[in-house]
Amino acid sequence: VKDSMRGLAVFISDIRNCKSKEAEEKRINKELANIRSKFKGDKALDGYQKKKYVCKLLFIFLLGNDIDFGHMEAVNLLNSNKYTEKQIGYLFISVLISENNELMRLVQQNLKNDLASRNPVHVNLALECIANIGSKEMAEMFAPEIPKLLVMGDAGDTVKQSAALCLLKLFRTAPEMVPIGDWTSRVIHLLNDQHMGVVTAAVSLIEALVKRNPDDFKGCVSLSISRLARIVTSSYTDLQDYTYYFVPAPWLSVKLLRLLQNYPPPEDTTVRNRLAECLETILNKAVEPPKSKKVQHSNAKNAVLFEAISLIIHMDSDPSLLVRACSQLGQFLSNRETNLRYLALESMCLLATSEFSHDAVKRHQETVVTALKSERDVSVRQRAVDLLYAMCDRSNAEEIVGEMLTYLETADYSIRGELVLKIAILAEKYASDYTWYVDTILNLIRLAGDFVSEEVWYRVIQIVINREDVQAYAAKTVFEALEAPACHENMVKVGGYILGEFGNLIAGDARSSPSTQFQLLHGKFHLCSPPTRALLLSAYIKLVNLFPEIREDIIAVLESDANLRNSNVEIQQRASEYLSLARNSTQDVLATVLEEMPPFPERESSILAQLRKKKPAVEDAIRARGEKQQQRPASGAADGAAASAAPTAATPTSGGGGGVKLQGDIAGAESNTDSDLLGLDFGGSAPAAAAGGGGAGGGSVDLLSSILDVGVSSSSSSSAAPSAASGASAQRKTVVVGAGASGSIVGEENWHKFVCKNSGVLYENDILQVGVKCDYQQSSGRIVVYYGNKTPAPLAQFASVINLPDSSLTNQLGIQVKPVGDRVGASEQVNEVITVDCMAEFSACPLLNIRFVYSGVAQSITLKLPLTINKFMQSSEMDSATFFQHWKQLSQPEQECQKIFQAKFPMDAETTKTKILGFGFSLLSNIDSNPANFVGAGIVQTKSGNIGSLFRLEPNQQAQMYRLTVHSIKPGVSKRLCELLETQL
Amino acid sequence: MIGGLFVYNHKGEVLISRVYRDDIGRNAVDAFRVNVIHARQQVRSPVNMIARTSFFHVKRSNIWLCAVSKKNLNAALVFQFLYKMLEVMGSYFGKINEENIKNNFVLIYELLDELLDYGYPQNTDTGVLKTFITQQGVKSQTKEETTKITNQVTGQIAWRREGIKYRRNELFLDVVESVNLLMSPQGQVLSAHVSGRVLMKSYLSGMPECKFGINDKVIVESRRAADSSSAAGATKSGHIAIDDCQFHQCVKLSKFDTEHAISFIPPDGEFELMRYRNTKDISLPFRVIPLVREIGRTKMEVKVVVKSNFKPSLLAQKVEVRIPTPLNTSGVQVICMKGKARYKASDNAIVWKIKRMGGMKEWQLSAEIDLLNATDKAKKWTRPPISMNFEVPFAASGFKVRYLKVFESKLNYSDHDVIKWVRYIGKSGLYETRC
């Protein structure tokens, strides 16, 4: 009776009955004064009274009032042996005592005592309190202790459960404090515990720990699969307390499935089959009629199902499961529950990226399209758009883009921008007919001009310029679009550019005569913003070139004060320059200066980059597939990109200086957006490009990357590099030294890239960029090493030394160096030419040691020179008979080298092909019976003779493994080739 | 252009909701409740913008009265109206609380129809409203009566109807002042002002014209300039400088501007004739001298002396001194010679009540306060000021009624026949002394 705390109940009901805030405040003040006088009073309070008053204080605190006394009394309660008193004490402390309170010491002492207690209830209270406070200090203090409780043999279930959750909390606040020890392996076995609560808590903990070091917990995979199997096969009556609305242990199942997503599919087939069975059972259960009409039942069931599906997607290995998952999701698409539809669409997005289920997803296209039209929830519509984007391929592109366009008219403003980008990308990516592409984009500008970013219309212009077959059509369509009474500014931009370039192609038609074209454009002139006006002026001067008969009209426009004396400098300058160009030059000069734009270099669409920036996660997954499908060797295409940009900009400069600008509009802006959107910091390069053929410009180290092929991204930087600037004064210090490498080797991962290609950046830090470009002819090669100084200060005492780590290399390789000067100026670039002769086959790799002094500190960098035996290999073609003949000849044990290894990169046939060709082997088709296998041949050429080599590569998609066999005349060669090729796959 | 008017109880439940314009939707009711009444942090501003809608509110006991508008309107007008409306409701059914509002809600809607028309304030005069909105049963009005009402309401003197007759012509005049003060512990006046009201209750027959004279400097001086010959030797003392004042609508402002005379035809019954404010030469009725001593961290001693500062013949009533105590007070012992003093835990203050106090007296209270050691030492007690309440029978500003003359030409009574009562009441506003 005494434990009922009547005073507290009365107080709470008083508070509840208060009519106003003021009344409540008064009551609280009264109570606080009462408690203060009680705590102050000389009469000692007994545990019950203390508990009651601490409880009241807690209640008052939770009502939003400050409490600044009573902490001591709460800590005193911890010493009590009564459960309720201890509990209230801990509750007060975890709610009210801040981390840096001086009482914390006392609290920690109490916690220690309780953790060591024999009474499991006390241990539990302490664990709960530690977790509730969960501070860094707590982690420091207790993280090493708690694991012991967790794996202690005789600890009770509840203690284990609390210990696991407490440790999880501490791990989240301070991962570094949680020790790694032998307990980790024993934690896994908690998955086998009898008590479901312990298992649930343990799974949460393990999932967090796995993220830190997955290898330590590999054992949990099979354990959790067997646990999962036991749950899914059990009927809902088996698990009693852990059955939630007829679903057996839904939380545990979800956690287990999530845990499994941290690992690749199990290698052991029995385990894998078991997992597959589990997943199948879950999918089966989804189809069963529901055991209850309650929403909790279906929620729990679907939670497990969705987690299972994401595991299936994660494993991405079992086609039948993927297809089943897809059809199951398809049913959800028309479910009444909005959340389900959302989740279904989201998961389908991921399914669409898997090669197995892509087609299955495509079957639901119609449902998705209707969802897009009839869905009320905007977030679901958004997902539907994502899914349409993900499921789009060449076969359905036109249809999907059409649907998206119709949807665009009614779409919410929040998703229009993204939708526009997606349409633009799909239209470009899957355009088989470029007139369709042009139509689509122009439609896009017409429907949602405000949301069409610069990139989109840059892109359409690039494509029109690069494709002769659509130019006339584009000009005609643009002309028609401009005839509309109101058109968007972006449309004017596109129109201006295209008519300026290709207006002549439609001038034959009386309806679009030169003067009509000009009038049409000029009719929009006064409505446009200054940048568009500037662009239109450029278009006009182009029209002067195309149609001399309207020259006078255009001169009149240029001459008008509105342009010639415009407050905008850009417009003013263009007007005056174009005016003198139009007035003074002959037709020939005009024709040269205002020649049609040269084709743009192919490059990755900048739109794609922008979309990726908007939604990184989903987009990456989709892009990964896109690349797999497209198989476009990105690096090759961009080779000339930058190089070509500079000369085109430079050519017409000699004329009036104005002609450059039109190119600058696009090229400059392009490089700007490119570098920005891809998130690369190529500071200074964009302005340099925009300045046209200005030449020297900033001349930063980035120039280096323009010469080299570093991949698509860097191609934006462009400028004529004054690379030869520092050739003259030469105090050569580059020496070839025998043995004795010094310093650790850096840039190892870049080196691997060079096995299959010949140019790129070998090493880069804040100070220096080292690029390499090499070419090989039979047994000799030339390696040009570029050193770029990235700093604003010169690098002094610059010297490079080539070390041969293996003494035998001196005989195998003949290396000659044409060294560089001893100084690399600020933002300057120098190159060093190394000529190499291959005397005999070699396996070691020469090292390049670079020394210099930067801002008074001596620096030394040691790099591996990308010089490998396969560089001297030439591919050779042969028919099947010869191949097998050679293969057999070279099948002695020391001549053969075979390796089985895990794939390091996604197993994609096309990329593999590119890599093998880059490596130096030929690819021979129709030789191996299995078309998935690769076979080929190559001849390593050395001064001492040729070494023929053959190879066979057998990929295993299921296991993500390769078997590589190399046969070669010389045993060392086959081994080395095998090693090298292994690093690339 | 008030768009709508809502009345809420303290829980935020809507008691009255009247929408005048279409631009105010149903959701405005909820918006105010969610963002102001139930706001996490107490909203102190009386004007709130929520979703481009302005909410003006006043709170009377537990009732929230809120005017809503989408337009950019004069906020002072809205508040003036809201206070008028409270006044009107008060005169119809007494205290404004939830129960009274619920009981009279038909009446309130009826009033709201008259007070505002399409959001524009119409007529807020209680006397006039009472002529046609009554709480008695509907009595059928003759045609003459209705035309009479219409003529009166739309006529020049809307606030008084014709044909009023009293056997005894009587009028009452109350000058009610509230004195506000903030004083430093050393007795220096930091700020002081008086806001006063002249309330009038008139029971006069016919359409009398009244003239009202006060001892305002400007009025007196202009009067003197007008007839300089007669009153050349009058003393300058006894005049006060009123900072600003405002009048009931019945006062003829044009006459006030030109002749500095307050002339009016009074409404029948009770009304507020004028309102004024004064900041100079205030005679403070009381002086509080505090003495606070902290003895260690667990004890505090407080001594408070109250001096009355007016003629010994006058008596102050309802004197109450409030001495705030620290938040960690655990016990209080009080000793005082006069009156009753008690520690009120619910207010965190010692309340000292004195029923009556003569002028030029000096009384003292001393208290010992026990403190509990706070765990959090960083927080120091802020020592809020000692506040006081009282009522004295004189005007602290020195305001005096010089004359009130009644002229009724048509009926046969003169100024001498009217019985006039004048009373001065000085009340405390925010009367605080720092300690």
Side-chain angles (χ1 to χ4, degrees):
Chain A
V1 179
K2 220 198 161 191
D3 229 30
S4 61
M5 296 203 281
R6 232 180 88 78
L8 179 67
V10 168
F11 174 57
I12 292 176
S13 74
D14 276 0
I15 293 276
R16 296 234 165 105
N17 290 334
C18 279
K19 278 258 157 53
S20 68
K21 214 165 193 167
E22 290 75 34
E24 186 182 307
E25 211 165 282
K26 280 193 172 164
R27 182 71 184 87
I28 287 172
N29 278 337
K30 197 174 146 198
E31 194 60 45
L32 282 176
N34 174 37
I35 298 173
R36 278 198 298 262
S37 67
K38 282 285 186 330
F39 281 172
K40 174 84 178 183
D42 308 321
K43 212 175 69 186
L45 298 170
D46 61 14
Y48 164 72
Q49 277 175 315
K50 261 189 217 160
K51 180 182 78 172
K52 187 173 84 183
Y53 293 129
V54 167
C55 245
K56 280 183 182 173
L57 285 180
L58 196 56
F59 182 74
I60 292 170
F61 175 77
L62 293 177
L63 283 175
N65 301 61
D66 280 340
I67 297 295
D68 51 7
F69 66 98
H71 299 67
M72 199 57 217
E73 281 73 14
V75 175
N76 280 343
L77 279 178
L78 301 188
N79 290 325
S80 160
N81 266 330
K82 278 194 188 135
Y83 171 76
T84 51
E85 287 168 21
K86 222 184 209 359
Q87 181 207 23
I88 295 291
Y90 274 126
L91 191 61
F92 186 89
I93 283 158
S94 50
V95 172
L96 255 141
I97 293 193
S98 59
E99 273 176 46
N100 32 25
N101 197 304
E102 49 196 49
L103 283 174
M104 217 46 178
R105 279 265 199 69
L106 270 171
V107 174
Q108 280 168 348
Q109 192 50 48
N110 270 307
L111 284 171
K112 262 198 185 146
N113 292 345
D114 277 340
L115 277 185
S117 157
R118 300 196 136 264
N119 189 342
V121 174
H122 292 182
V123 183
N124 260 355
L125 281 176
L127 284 170
E128 275 159 23
C129 182
I130 293 171
N132 277 336
I133 296 174
S135 64
K136 202 145 196 165
E137 210 176 313
M138 282 287 163
E140 237 165 73
M141 193 96 185
F142 296 107
E145 304 298 318
I146 295 169
K148 288 176 201 153
L149 285 173
L150 194 56
V151 293
M152 200 160 68
D154 56 347
D157 291 335
T158 47
V159 171
K160 277 187 197 165
Q161 199 173 340
S162 300
L165 291 176
C166 180
L167 193 57
L168 174 62
K169 166 75 186 193
L170 296 183
F171 181 76
R172 281 179 185 156
T173 30
E176 68 281 358
M177 294 298 168
V178 176
I180 309 165
D182 55 343
W183 65 275
T184 45
S185 53
R186 291 165 69 186
V187 158
I188 298 173
H189 290 282
L190 287 179
L191 290 175
N192 268 338
D193 203 284
Q194 292 291 315
H195 193 267
M196 290 289 269
V198 176
V199 184
T200 317
V203 177
S204 300
L205 176 64
I206 293 170
E207 219 227 326
L209 291 170
V210 157
K211 296 250 155 64
R212 182 164 67 169
N213 32 0
D215 293 340
D216 286 5
F217 293 93
K218 264 207 164 124
C220 73
V221 174
S222 60
L223 281 177
S224 47
I225 289 174
S226 63
R227 176 50 96 169
L228 186 65
R230 261 179 285 161
I231 295 171
V232 263
T233 49
S234 68
S235 102
Y236 64 88
T237 46
D238 295 353
L239 292 166
Q240 290 163 0
D241 287 352
Y242 288 87
T243 299
Y244 178 79
Y245 287 90
F246 306 104
V247 181
W251 280 276
L252 182 54
S253 322
V254 165
K255 280 178 180 170
L256 287 169
L257 288 164
R258 209 169 272 173
L259 175 62
L260 288 172
Q261 284 174 43
N262 289 306
Y263 292 99
E267 285 150 36
D268 189 350
T269 41
T270 52
V271 179
R272 194 163 62 207
N273 290 343
R274 199 147 177 218
L275 177 59
E277 266 169 43
C278 286
L279 293 173
E280 223 159 285
T281 324
I282 293 174
L283 287 174
N284 285 341
K285 276 193 181 170
V287 214
E288 283 171 20
K291 292 194 180 66
S292 156
K293 281 223 168 69
K294 289 245 170 65
V295 68
Q296 289 95 329
H297 170 70
S298 60
N299 275 349
K301 211 165 87 170
N302 291 332
V304 177
L305 177 65
F306 273 107
E307 212 49 56
I309 288 175
S310 50
L311 178 61
I312 293 171
I313 295 168
H314 168 77
M315 296 197 304
D316 197 11
S317 57
D318 192 334
S320 71
L321 278 179
L322 280 163
V323 170
R324 277 201 61 182
C326 187
S327 67
Q328 184 57 49
L329 289 175
Q331 286 175 17
F332 286 142
L333 283 184
S334 41
N335 198 295
R336 257 181 343 113
E337 279 278 309
T338 315
N339 290 336
L340 270 186
R341 291 197 299 269
Y342 182 93
L343 287 169
L345 286 168
E346 199 184 28
S347 304
M348 269 208 172
C349 243
L350 292 171
L351 274 177
T353 60
S354 165
E355 51 179 319
F356 300 113
S357 52
H358 183 69
D359 288 328
V361 172
K362 267 167 68 181
R363 244 173 273 142
H364 299 287
Q365 185 181 327
E366 215 162 295
T367 332
V368 179
V369 168
T370 36
L372 195 59
K373 282 176 184 155
S374 58
E375 181 60 52
R376 266 176 293 127
D377 192 310
V378 65
S379 57
V380 179
R381 287 199 295 265
Q382 166 96 57
R383 290 277 151 254
V385 172
D386 286 347
L387 178 56
L388 276 183
Y389 178 70
M391 69 163 66
C392 187
D393 61 14
R394 207 165 286 280
S395 65
N396 55 9
E398 237 165 274
E399 200 178 328
I400 284 181
V401 168
E403 290 293 351
M404 280 176 148
L405 268 178
T406 34
Y407 173 58
L408 184 61
E409 288 178 69
T410 53
D412 307 80
Y413 285 92
S414 52
I415 62 170
R416 276 198 185 184
E418 202 188 311
L419 196 58
V420 164
L421 281 179
K422 285 190 164 146
I423 295 175
I425 290 167
L426 291 179
E428 181 192 335
K429 195 149 106 188
Y430 300 116
S432 44
D433 175 8
Y434 277 89
T435 56
W436 172 74
Y437 170 73
V438 169
D439 275 343
T440 307
I441 299 293
L442 290 183
N443 236 337
L444 205 57
I445 296 176
R446 191 173 55 75
L447 287 174
D450 285 338
F451 297 91
V452 173
S453 57
E454 302 276 279
E455 291 78 31
V456 174
W457 73 263
Y458 288 166
R459 196 67 196 150
V460 73
I461 283 174
Q462 282 177 25
I463 286 176
V464 168
I465 288 190
N466 290 7
R467 307 208 155 253
E468 229 168 281
D469 45 331
V470 288
Q471 287 166 357
Y473 178 78
K476 185 166 150 280
T477 332
V478 166
F479 181 82
E480 279 160 9
L482 282 176
E483 273 180 324
C487 61
H488 194 266
E489 194 165 328
N490 279 337
M491 184 66 94
V492 178
K493 287 183 188 167
V494 178
Y497 199 101
I498 290 184
L499 289 183
E501 292 292 327
F502 310 114
N504 55 337
L505 300 178
I506 56 167
D509 194 331
R511 281 167 300 171
S512 51
S513 68
S515 65
T516 331
Q517 281 184 33
F518 171 68
Q519 292 307 336
L520 190 61
L521 280 180
H522 198 59
K524 317 275 181 203
F525 186 82
H526 59 283
L527 298 171
C528 297
S529 62
T532 315
R533 289 189 189 196
L535 187 144
L536 281 178
L537 287 183
S538 301
Y540 294 166
I541 192 72
K542 287 247 167 187
L543 287 177
V544 169
N545 175 38
L546 295 178
F547 315 117
E549 64 268 29
I550 57 167
R551 182 164 160 254
E552 289 313 315
D553 296 345
I554 288 169
I555 284 180
V557 169
L558 292 174
E559 242 173 0
S560 73
D561 280 354
N563 292 325
L564 208 52
R565 299 191 182 168
N566 196 300
S567 60
N568 187 312
V569 182
E570 182 68 30
I571 294 179
Q572 198 184 99
Q573 185 173 358
R574 285 195 193 203
S576 57
E577 283 180 10
Y578 292 156
L579 185 62
S580 55
L581 191 65
R583 272 200 187 133
N584 306 333
S585 358
T586 61
Q587 196 59 41
D588 287 350
V589 173
L590 274 181
T592 334
V593 174
L594 303 171
E595 196 183 19
E596 196 174 292
M597 281 292 147
F600 283 88
E602 276 302 326
R603 61 181 69 171
E604 190 193 15
S605 167
S606 53
I607 315 172
L608 210 57
Q610 208 194 11
L611 186 64
R612 210 173 308 147
K613 199 172 76 176
K614 273 196 172 168
K615 296 173 75 185
V618 185
E619 217 37 61
D620 275 351
I622 294 170
R623 197 174 74 94
R625 176 184 67 99
E627 279 176 2
K628 252 193 260 172
Q629 283 198 334
Q630 276 214 317
Q631 299 142 356
R632 201 169 47 183
S635 58
D639 199 2
S644 65
T648 43
T651 20
T653 329
S654 49
V660 190
K661 285 220 168 75
L662 200 50
Q663 176 89 21
D665 279 341
I666 302 286
E670 261 278 313
S671 61
N672 242 331
T673 49
D674 242 0
S675 50
D676 285 346
L677 290 170
L678 293 172
L680 296 171
D681 187 20
F682 279 91
S685 71
S700 62
V701 194
D702 307 311
L703 307 180
L704 188 57
S705 54
S706 69
I707 296 174
L708 303 170
D709 160 27
V710 216
V712 199
S713 51
S714 69
S715 66
S716 60
S717 62
S718 65
S719 172
S723 53
S726 62
S729 68
Q731 277 197 336
R732 302 284 123 132
K733 281 196 184 149
T734 315
V735 196
V736 179
V737 182
S742 64
S744 58
I745 299 162
V746 291
E748 189 69 61
E749 61 289 333
N750 274 353
W751 180 84
H752 284 299
K753 289 186 197 150
F754 279 86
V755 173
C756 289
K757 64 177 192 171
N758 280 331
S759 56
V761 174
L762 180 60
Y763 173 71
E764 184 166 20
N765 63 11
D766 291 342
I767 305 165
L768 191 72
Q769 189 187 36
V770 182
V772 171
K773 186 168 185 162
C774 23
D775 52 77
Y776 298 93
Q777 295 252 309
Q778 294 177 342
S779 66
S780 54
R782 206 170 76 106
I783 304 174
V784 187
V785 185
Y786 297 86
Y787 301 104
N789 180 357
K790 290 169 75 174
T791 65
L795 306 178
Q797 298 176 32
F798 193 89
S800 65
V801 181
I802 289 180
N803 284 322
L804 303 176
D806 192 343
S807 55
S808 57
L809 267 180
T810 36
N811 305 327
Q812 294 161 348
L813 288 172
I815 299 184
Q816 283 179 328
V817 182
K818 199 177 145 212
V820 292
D822 65 343
R823 203 182 126 83
V824 182
S827 307
E828 220 180 77
Q829 185 196 20
V830 296
N831 54 357
E832 180 183 46
V833 181
I834 304 170
T835 32
V836 189
D837 283 324
C838 181
M839 304 303 187
E841 76 279 8
F842 63 100
S843 57
C845 186
L847 300 177
L848 177 66
N849 181 245
I850 306 159
R851 290 161 195 276
F852 55 89
V853 178
Y854 170 64
S855 65
V857 184
Q859 311 258 1
S860 165
I861 299 168
T862 308
L863 301 168
K864 261 170 131 181
L865 209 56
L867 183 61
T868 45
I869 182 78
N870 67 302
K871 297 289 180 196
F872 298 99
M873 184 156 72
Q874 285 205 319
S875 62
S876 71
E877 300 288 335
M878 55 185 74
D879 59 21
S880 146
T882 8
F883 181 85
F884 282 112
Q885 189 194 344
H886 286 301
W887 187 264
K888 287 213 181 76
Q889 276 171 2
L890 302 174
S891 55
Q892 276 159 29
E894 65 272 14
Q895 286 172 335
E896 183 190 80
C897 180
Q898 188 175 69
K899 283 204 173 181
I900 298 169
F901 53 91
Q902 192 81 39
K904 293 189 188 60
F905 302 96
M907 294 182 71
D908 177 62
E910 282 307 313
T911 23
T912 313
K913 260 185 205 163
T914 341
K915 278 187 179 158
I916 289 169
L917 290 174
F919 191 77
F921 276 119
S922 63
L923 266 178
L924 306 175
S925 48
N926 302 328
I927 291 184
D928 201 304
S929 53
N930 184 350
N933 292 351
F934 301 97
V935 289
I939 299 163
V940 178
Q941 299 188 324
T942 68
K943 294 271 188 235
S944 55
N946 295 349
I947 307 162
S949 311
L950 305 168
F951 88 103
R952 180 181 191 201
L953 179 70
E954 296 154 271
N956 180 347
Q957 287 285 5
Q958 292 288 317
Q960 294 286 304
M961 302 279 276
Y962 281 115
R963 182 160 68 190
L964 175 66
T965 323
V966 178
H967 288 198
S968 174
I969 302 172
K970 301 252 175 131
V973 174
S974 54
K975 186 162 169 284
R976 182 65 182 153
L977 287 176
C978 202
E979 282 168 7
L980 286 172
L981 202 51
E982 185 198 341
T983 62
Q984 300 301 311
L985 296 169
Chain B
M1 313 125 260
I2 295 168
L5 222 133
F6 309 123
V7 180
Y8 302 85
N9 67 3
H10 72 286
K11 288 182 202 149
E13 290 160 348
V14 186
L15 303 178
I16 303 282
S17 147
R18 178 76 171 83
V19 175
Y20 293 97
R21 282 169 177 256
D22 294 339
D23 55 358
I24 301 298
R26 285 267 130 218
N27 48 2
V29 190
D30 300 324
F32 181 77
R33 180 183 36 238
V34 171
N35 291 295
V36 180
I37 301 180
H38 290 163
R40 253 157 214 270
Q41 259 157 1
Q42 203 192 343
V43 176
R44 303 183 68 178
S45 160
V47 185
N48 294 285
M49 282 286 280
I50 305 159
R52 293 190 181 186
T53 313
S54 316
F55 292 80
F56 308 81
H57 76 266
V58 295
K59 215 183 154 196
R60 193 51 68 87
S61 62
N62 280 331
I63 297 296
W64 299 75
L65 184 59
C66 172
V68 192
S69 178
K70 282 249 182 200
K71 298 279 180 331
N72 180 16
L73 79 174
N74 187 345
L77 177 143
V78 179
F79 284 107
Q80 184 70 35
F81 171 79
L82 289 177
Y83 283 115
K84 270 284 182 208
M85 185 179 151
L86 286 172
E87 205 175 278
V88 169
M89 290 200 293
S91 78
Y92 266 96
F93 50 77
K95 204 166 174 255
I96 294 168
N97 55 24
E98 188 176 345
E99 202 180 296
N100 276 345
I101 289 182
K102 278 182 178 164
N103 289 340
N104 292 291
F105 95 102
V106 179
L107 170 74
I108 293 172
Y109 277 109
E110 223 176 313
L111 282 174
L112 283 175
D113 279 340
E114 280 315 314
L115 292 173
L116 287 174
D117 187 17
Y118 193 47
Y120 292 98
Q122 289 298 301
N123 198 342
T124 55
D125 193 285
T126 322
V128 181
L129 287 168
K130 279 194 171 160
T131 60
F132 54 92
I133 299 178
T134 54
Q135 281 170 287
Q136 278 84 48
V138 184
K139 70 169 185 223
S140 63
Q141 285 160 325
T142 58
K143 206 170 180 189
E144 281 142 56
E145 270 174 325
T146 36
T147 46
K148 220 160 126 195
I149 288 175
T150 320
N151 281 341
Q152 188 224 319
V153 170
T154 54
Q156 204 179 9
I157 305 166
W159 56 87
R160 189 179 180 95
R161 70 192 157 86
E162 281 185 59
I164 300 171
K165 278 232 167 79
Y166 287 103
R167 263 204 7 216
R168 232 153 76 116
N169 289 310
E170 213 171 2
L171 72 84
F172 301 83
L173 209 61
D174 282 358
V175 177
V176 182
E177 292 195 338
S178 76
V179 192
N180 299 285
L181 167 78
L182 182 63
M183 195 178 248
S184 76
Q186 289 75 34
Q188 199 182 353
V189 176
L190 299 174
S191 82
H193 76 269
V194 170
S195 60
R197 299 190 299 157
V198 179
L199 302 174
M200 193 168 166
K201 225 183 248 179
S202 71
Y203 302 107
L204 300 173
S205 315
M207 289 295 245
E209 169 131 17
C210 300
K211 272 200 177 150
F212 182 51
I214 54 171
N215 62 339
D216 181 34
K217 227 174 173 173
V218 185
I219 299 176
V220 173
E221 268 162 22
S222 72
R223 186 50 41 88
R224 191 172 300 153
D227 39 36
S228 52
S229 56
S230 65
T235 49
K236 251 192 152 191
S237 66
H239 304 148
I240 61 161
I242 286 175
D243 287 9
D244 50 56
C245 59
Q246 72 189 82
F247 295 104
H248 188 262
Q249 59 168 330
C250 64
V251 175
K252 290 168 186 155
L253 291 177
S254 55
K255 253 195 179 155
F256 182 74
D257 286 342
T258 54
E259 299 167 28
H260 294 283
I262 306 168
S263 150
F264 56 95
I265 296 170
D268 195 37
E270 198 177 335
F271 70 101
E272 184 185 290
L273 179 62
M274 80 177 274
R275 224 173 239 238
Y276 61 91
R277 206 165 59 91
N278 184 19
T279 50
K280 283 191 202 89
D281 300 328
I282 297 163
S283 67
L284 298 168
F286 288 96
R287 165 91 206 275
V288 174
I289 304 160
L291 194 77
V292 178
R293 226 159 41 105
E294 284 178 49
I295 307 163
R297 278 171 49 199
T298 57
K299 216 169 192 87
M300 208 165 95
E301 243 181 41
V302 181
K303 239 180 219 164
V304 177
V305 178
V306 178
K307 276 187 188 173
S308 58
N309 214 350
F310 45 89
K311 270 190 260 170
S313 58
L314 300 175
L315 261 187
Q317 284 186 312
K318 297 180 191 167
V319 181
E320 187 188 274
V321 185
R322 244 166 210 274
I323 305 149
T325 54
L327 292 172
N328 55 346
T329 305
S330 63
V332 179
Q333 292 87 43
V334 208
I335 311 163
C336 61
M337 308 179 303
K338 287 277 163 70
K340 279 183 197 159
R342 211 159 56 83
Y343 168 59
K344 261 186 144 175
S346 56
D347 298 348
N348 278 324
I350 299 171
V351 180
W352 181 20
K353 280 181 178 164
I354 306 166
K355 273 193 184 143
R356 261 183 222 99
M357 186 169 181
M360 307 311 271
K361 291 249 166 63
E362 185 175 320
W363 290 348
Q364 196 189 39
L365 169 144
S366 60
E368 247 174 53
I369 300 172
D370 292 326
L371 303 175
L372 186 77
N373 250 338
T375 328
D376 193 4
K377 265 145 218 128
K379 252 201 292 186
K380 251 204 119 201
W381 187 44
T382 48
R383 288 202 183 194
I386 296 176
S387 62
M388 238 192 123
N389 290 318
F390 54 80
E391 227 178 87
V392 288
F394 63 90
S397 65
F399 185 94
K400 286 248 157 50
V401 178
R402 288 177 56 232
Y403 57 83
L404 180 67
K405 293 173 189 154
V406 183
F407 307 98
E408 168 54 270
S409 45
K410 285 178 192 159
L411 293 172
N412 56 350
Y413 71 93
S414 70
D415 184 36
H416 305 288
D417 304 329
V418 179
I419 306 156
K420 300 168 197 163
W421 307 85
V422 180
R423 178 164 69 157
Y424 297 94
I425 303 167
K427 281 183 181 168
S428 58
L430 215 56
Y431 203 84
E432 292 180 330
T433 308
R434 290 188 180 158
C435 59

